Amino acid sequence: MSFDVAAVERAAAQVTLKLPRVPHRGRVGDVRSASVGSSMELHDFRRYHPGDDVRHIDWNAVARTQELVVRVRQEEVSPRVEVLLDASKSMAVSEAKGARGKEIAAWLCSAAQRSGLEVVLTVLGATPRRSAGADCRTALLSTVLDGVEPLPAVLQRAPPLRPCGLRVVVSDFLVEAEPRPLVERLARHAAGTAFVQVLDDEELSPPRGLGAQLTDSETGEALERRLSDAVVDAYLLKLEAHVAQWQLAVERVRGLFLQVSAAAPVDVLARRELAALCEVA
Amino acid sequence: MTALTPLGLLALLAALPITAAYFLRRRQPPRVVSALFLWRQTDQLAEAGAKFERFSREASLLLELLAVVLAAVYLADLRLSTPQTAPHVVVVVDGSLSMRAKSGGQTAAERAVAVVLAQVGRTPGTVATVIESGLKPVVLAGPRADERRVKDALSGWQPNQPAHDLAAALVLAREMSSLKEQRVLLVTDGPVPENLALPGNVDVTSVGKALDNVAFVSAQRHDERGLTRVTLRVTNFGTESVEVPVRLTLDDGGVREQPLSLLAGKSGVVRLEVGTGGPIDARLPDDALVEDGRLTLLPASDAPVSVGALPGLDAVAKSTLERFVAVAPAVTSSATPALGVGPPGSSAQLTVGAAPPLSSFVGPFFALKGHPLLDDVELGGVVWTAGANPPGRPLLSAGATVLVSEEDDGRLHFNVELARSNVQRTPAWPLLLMNAARQVRGRLHGFPRKQLMLGEDVRVVTRAQVASALVGPRGQKRQVVGAGPLVLPPLSSPGRWVLTEDGTVVDELEVMAMDPHESNLTGRGPFEHVATEGLPLASEAAQLPRSRWPLLALLAALGLDFALTASRRRRPAEAGVAS
C-alpha cells in the first residue's frame, strides 16, 4: 500500500479546513490578526512613543486629552496552518500506517492550500525538515519514516514552531512519556491545535493466540510473548488508558484529539473521523 | 541380547536433542511493534514462560523416541539370542557364451548352477552371493541371498558374454565377501587362462567338457542395386574333418543351401548372391554350441543420402558432383540435399573450392590417420591445387596448406581448385565424396551399423524429445538417455534388438553370437584348483541378514508422528485460531 495521491486529491477537493475562532498570524489577508497593523479596523489607543508613525496620531484625541495618542489598528493577515508529521519508525510498522500518516498530512496541506492558507509542513524524522507551500507535497513524497528518537526529543531539534496558526500534529502518540508537557508544548502559541492519532489495524486489534517476539520499532528492544487472550486484553486496556491520557491532555489545551485507523482510505477518513477538522465546501 | 554392530547404538544419542527440543521454549516469529511498553506487564515472566515450558505433546515425543530406538536397533543389528551366523558362500560363475555348450543333454551353465546350489544346500541356512563374470561383472543373486532366492535367480540364467577377463569378477567377489580372507569359488568350463593371476583364496572348478563345434566366425552382407552378396566364414573347431551344409533362409521363404567341407581346425568360406532385400537367416546344423551356428543378416543401413550443389558452386565442381551422383550407390540428387555442396565461405555441409593465392601440390600429403573421411583414399599421382587455408581441424594437408578440414559441427571443406587439379580424375575424388556421404548417413536417425558382434559397443543416433529405448530379443528393455549420436555399452544378449521411440519401433540391429574364442570348445574340460590360503569356502563368519522389521517399524512411527503433527496443525486452522 503506497501513498495514494488520487485519494488525497479527492478528499481535499471537497473540503476546507475549519479555522479556530481566535486571532491568527500570517500573511496579509482578510482575517484579523492578533498583532497590530494598519488595517482600517480600530483595535486600540495608546500613548505616542517616539518612532511611531505620526500618521497614526489621533488628532481628535489629542484635542480632547492634550496628550499625543495614536490609533492602534489591527493587522489583516492570512491564517497559517502548520502540519507536524511524526516520521519515526513506529509510524512505519506497517505499510498502511506509514502511507496513511503521510496521506493525512498531504490532505491537510492540500486542503489548506485550496483555502488560500499559508501551509508549513514540518517532518519530525531523523533529520527534521520544514517545507512550505507547494513544496509540502514533494517533501511528503520523499519522506522516509526513519526517526528513532521519541517525539519530545525530536521536537528539541526541530525548527521552532510557528506561532498563531492552526497546528495539526499527525502521529501515533505511542510515546512512553507523560503526554501533558508534550501536548502543552505542541499547543503553545498556536491559535488552535489538533492531534491526529494514526494507529494500525493490528495495534487496535492484535491477533490472538500466536506467539511472537515483539520488537520495538525504534529501540530494537525485544520481548517474547504468547499473545494469549489475557495478554491481548491487558494490552488493549493499557492502550485505552494511554489514549485517554492523551485525550485529557489535549482537552486541557482546548485542542482536538482524533484517532483514525490506518486500514481506512484517506478520503473515507476525511469524511468520517477527520470531519471535525474541516467543512464541506 | 547381542549387538552385532555396537557402534549403531550411538544412534540413541539422538534422543537427547529431540527431547531437549521438545522441552525448550520455542523461538517465536519476530514481529515489529510501535509501542513495546504497552506489552510489558508486571507478570511478564510468568506469561512468557520460563526457559522450560509445559510439556504438551507427549504422543509426538514418544513416537520420535521410539523411532530413535528402532533406528538404533537396526543400525546395531540387535539380536535377542546369541549371534546367529550362517555360512556365506561367494561364487563366481563364468558368464561366457561357451558355458551354453551342451553335452549329454545338459549345458555347462546348468551344471554350474547345480554346483552352486549344491554348495548352498550343503548346510541349512547357507546364504550365497553369486556373481556372473563378463565384460562387466553382474551380481546374479545376493548379496547373501538364501537358497530359494539363489534358485530363482539362476533358474533362467543364460550366459552370453564374449571372451573376457575373469579378474574383475573375482575382485568384486572379494569385496562382497564377509571377510577378506574368505575363499571364493569360481565355476567355469575349462582351465583358467594362463594370463590370469588367481588370488590365493580362489577355488576353481570346471564343469565344461572338450567338444567339437562348427561355428560362424565372420559374416558379411553387401546390398547393391537389388542384389545381396553374403559372405560367411565357417570354422571347424573339432578334431575331425566334417562336411556341413550352410543353410540360408531368405525373407521370402526361399532356402539356399551350400555344403562345406572343413578339415579339423580349418575354415571355409561360403559366398552367395541372392536377390532379396530382407533379413537373411544363416544356419549350421545343431552341434555342441547351437548359438554360434545361427545368425541373421539384416539389410545394410543404406538409406539414400541426398546430395546437391548449392548456388555459387563453380561449374567444374558442379560437373564432377553430377558425375558422382550418377554412379554412386545410395546417393540421390536433391534440391534440398542432406549433403549440400557449396563454394568456400558458404554455409554448405561441404565446400569445394579454393581462395587465392593458389598453390599446387604433388605430395607428400599428410592425412589424419583413421579418419573415416579418408578411408581408402590414395593420393599417389594427384596434383592438388589449393588456396588459403579453410577453417576447422586439418584432415589432409600438404606442407603448411590445409587441403581438407572439418569443423566442430561436422562441416567439411575441400580446399581444391578443380580447374587446376587432377584429383577429380583419380579414384580418390569419388571416394572422398562417398566418405562424406557416409558421414552424413552416419548422422541419420537409427543404428548406423545393423550387425554387431557380442561385446561390441552400440552406436545409435536418437532424436531429442522422445523416449528412446532398446528392446532385446527376450523383451529386456534398456532406456537410452540422451539425444544425437550416442555410443552405448555392449548389449547383454545375442539376437534382434530394436530401437523404440515412444513405444514405436524405428530401427533394429542384430547382435551375432560370434566369438572364435568362445566357439572353440576343444580346450574346455575338467579343471580343479584348490585355494592356497583363506578361510573355508562356506565361511562361518557371515551372519544372517540384518532384520528389516526395525526399519519398517521406524517408518511407521515416523509416519504416525507426521499424521499426529499434521492433525494438530489442521485443528486450530479449522477453528480459525492459530495455536
Side-chain angles (χ1 to χ4, degrees), chain A residues 90 93 97 174 176 202-203 207 210-217 221 223-225 227 231 234-235 238-239, chain B residues 25-41 43-44 47-49 53 577-579:
Chain A
S90 70
V93 289
K97 185 177 177 182
L174 296 176
E176 193 177 14
E202 287 201 356
E203 287 169 342
L210 300 171
Q213 188 186 33
L214 304 169
T215 307
D216 193 281
S217 57
E221 195 184 341
L223 182 66
E224 209 159 285
R225 303 304 303 266
L227 305 187
V231 170
Y235 160 82
K238 285 189 84 172
L239 177 65
Chain B
R25 188 155 51 89
R26 282 178 299 167
R27 191 170 179 76
Q28 306 289 6
R31 196 167 146 206
V32 178
V33 294
S34 304
L36 193 66
F37 66 92
L38 294 177
W39 290 99
R40 284 199 200 98
Q41 291 169 10
D43 58 343
Q44 179 184 319
E47 279 292 338
E53 68 177 351
V577 182
S579 61

Side-chain angles (χ1 to χ4, degrees), chain B residues 360-440:
Chain B
S360 295
F361 300 92
V362 291
F365 300 105
F366 300 97
L368 187 67
K369 194 176 175 185
H371 194 280
L373 186 74
L374 303 175
D375 278 355
D376 304 325
V377 175
E378 294 286 342
L379 294 173
V382 165
V383 177
W384 190 301
T385 301
N389 284 350
R393 181 172 61 124
L395 302 180
L396 181 69
S397 59
T401 304
V402 176
L403 307 182
V404 176
S405 69
E406 182 184 38
E407 292 196 61
D408 290 340
D409 59 1
R411 291 173 56 216
L412 297 167
H413 303 287
F414 289 178
N415 180 14
V416 59
E417 178 55 55
L418 292 173
R420 292 175 57 180
S421 305
N422 71 353
V423 63
Q424 74 276 19
R425 290 190 291 276
T426 67
W429 184 247
L431 281 171
L432 278 170
L433 291 175
M434 199 65 214
N435 289 342
R438 192 177 62 185
Q439 273 193 240
V440 171

Side-chain angles (χ1 to χ4, degrees), chain B residues 215-238:
Chain B
F216 291 117
V217 291
S218 77
Q220 278 187 320
R221 170 177 176 151
H222 184 65
D223 295 283
E224 189 174 340
R225 301 183 192 285
L227 193 66
T228 301
R229 288 195 190 89
V230 176
T231 307
L232 300 166
R233 179 175 288 275
V234 183
T235 301
N236 174 16
F237 296 104

Side-chain angles (χ1 to χ4, degrees), chain B residues 49-120:
Chain B
K51 198 72 181 166
F52 295 92
E53 68 177 351
R54 191 179 65 79
F55 183 52
S56 58
R57 292 184 290 159
E58 294 86 352
S60 185
L61 175 61
L62 288 177
L63 282 169
E64 286 173 25
L65 290 179
L66 178 65
V68 168
V69 172
L70 289 168
V73 168
Y74 178 73
L75 293 173
D77 200 5
L78 218 56
R79 307 290 173 101
L80 288 173
S81 55
T82 51
Q84 292 179 349
T85 57
H88 179 203
V89 179
V90 181
V91 185
V92 175
V93 289
D94 188 352
S96 56
L97 184 68
S98 62
M99 290 287 283
R100 292 171 75 168
K102 195 176 263 187
S103 164
Q106 201 176 27
T107 64
E110 288 164 351
R111 290 193 290 274
V113 170
V115 169
V116 174
L117 293 179
Q119 284 291 344
V120 177

